[in-house]
Amino acid sequence: PIEGFIGKRRSAFEPDRDMYKVDMGDNGRYLELQLSGIRNMDLFVDVLDTGGRPITRVNYDGTGQPESLHRLRVPGREVILVVSEFKAPELRPTENVSDRYKLLATIKDSLDERGEVEPNDTPAAANAFTAGAQITGYLDGVRDVDYFRVSTDGVMDLRRWEVAVEAEGSLVPRISIFRVTGEEPLEVFSDEGHSGLLRTVYEEPAFLNPEYLLAVSHAGRGDRRGAYKLVADLLPPKPRIAHEPN
């Protein structure tokens, strides 16, 4: 890994920053990042293309915590990594010339398992997901969210969601379901699991919707980061059962 300091500020409100160029060796390879924490700073890593345009920002945890990124597909041959301090614009930057951070970048030709591909932190960047499939993902901190887009492909009356998320260690997963009917997705359901597991069911009211978003996120309890497996199926509704006395 490379070691560095976030030292003397660049201006009254602009923190120090360190920039690194990474040669990926070819287009379309995958990048993983590990950044150690510094006790009095909230560090982040920006991943930029060679023109300075953002690919993603790695800032999923808080002050003193490490940061990580898994499963990022890099379209070009080179990327720029920028390490700096995350802070509110009105606050003065922290200067720390005694504590080093360590940054490790790992390049992979392909992913070990089929699943999410970063960046997918926003609805606009959601990965395509086929209902009934099982995929692997990774939550890289308590602020990480992975979005998946699901289409009903015109099949009538698919309204019952059956969802399971199995997470690594004690991480507590959260699932949210959004209807996509206009510019802004509408959240219609959310649920949290317990240590390492979430199983839940949600059935839509009696109307059709052609597209949904699923969001897998961290419930804020348990391990701060870890891999997960997602299984989500969209099925016809089950008949209601009456119970006596009625």
Side-chain angles (χ1 to χ4, degrees):
I2 290 176
E3 297 186 3
F5 297 95
I6 300 299
K8 184 176 176 59
R9 66 190 69 171
R10 294 165 55 84
S11 66
F13 295 98
E14 187 178 5
D16 186 20
R17 66 184 184 192
D18 297 335
M19 304 181 72
Y20 305 96
K21 180 182 285 188
V22 179
D23 185 349
M24 299 293 295
D26 202 355
N27 297 333
R29 301 179 84 185
Y30 294 87
L31 180 66
E32 294 187 355
L33 297 175
Q34 302 286 338
L35 177 68
S36 64
I38 292 180
R39 56 186 170 83
N40 61 339
M41 287 189 188
D42 183 1
L43 296 183
F44 71 87
V45 185
D46 276 341
V47 184
L48 314 176
D49 66 17
T50 51
R53 293 175 291 270
I55 297 174
T56 193
R57 169 169 285 189
V58 185
N59 185 31
Y60 301 130
D61 225 314
T63 300
Q65 295 294 329
E67 295 284 351
S68 64
L69 177 66
H70 293 75
R71 309 176 72 89
L72 174 69
R73 187 179 185 275
V74 177
R77 184 186 174 94
E78 293 181 333
V79 291
I80 306 297
L81 305 181
V82 183
V83 181
S84 191
E85 179 190 18
F86 180 77
K87 66 175 190 64
E90 68 274 11
L91 297 180
R92 291 188 176 274
T94 307
E95 295 180 339
N96 188 328
V97 296
S98 60
D99 295 331
R100 298 174 181 264
Y101 66 78
K102 294 182 179 181
L103 175 65
L104 175 64
T106 303
I107 299 169
K108 293 186 172 183
D109 290 326
S110 60
L111 297 175
D112 297 333
E113 295 182 85
R114 175 178 174 272
E116 67 143 336
V117 177
E118 294 281 359
N120 65 341
D121 298 341
T122 65
N127 294 165
F129 180 85
T130 301
Q134 174 179 294
I135 63 169
T136 297
Y138 202 100
L139 290 175
D140 280 293
V142 295
R143 294 196 291 257
D144 192 8
V145 182
D146 294 334
Y147 283 94
F148 302 92
R149 188 173 296 270
V150 183
S151 173
T152 61
D153 294 325
V155 179
M156 302 293 286
D157 212 25
L158 295 180
R159 294 192 281 118
R160 179 182 174 85
W161 283 99
E162 296 183 358
V163 181
V165 182
E166 296 183 5
E168 192 174 63
S170 64
L171 188 154
V172 178
R174 175 185 174 88
I175 191 79
S176 301
I177 299 175
F178 299 80
R179 288 189 205 125
V180 180
T181 55
E183 292 186 3
E184 290 296 326
L186 174 66
E187 183 175 353
V188 294
F189 177 77
S190 66
D191 198 6
E192 297 179 1
H194 53 84
S195 180
L197 182 64
L198 182 154
R199 294 186 188 276
T200 192
V201 174
Y202 167 68
E203 192 165 303
E204 279 273 72
F207 66 87
L208 304 177
N209 199 70
E211 194 170 63
Y212 292 91
L213 285 174
L214 299 179
V216 180
S217 60
H218 199 298
R221 306 189 304 280
D223 291 344
R224 302 185 77 86
R225 53 185 50 80
Y228 65 84
K229 292 187 182 298
L230 167 67
V231 179
D233 210 354
L234 185 55
L235 305 167
K238 287 191 175 181
R240 304 288 182 179
I241 299 175
H243 296 275
E244 294 292 348
N246 63 351

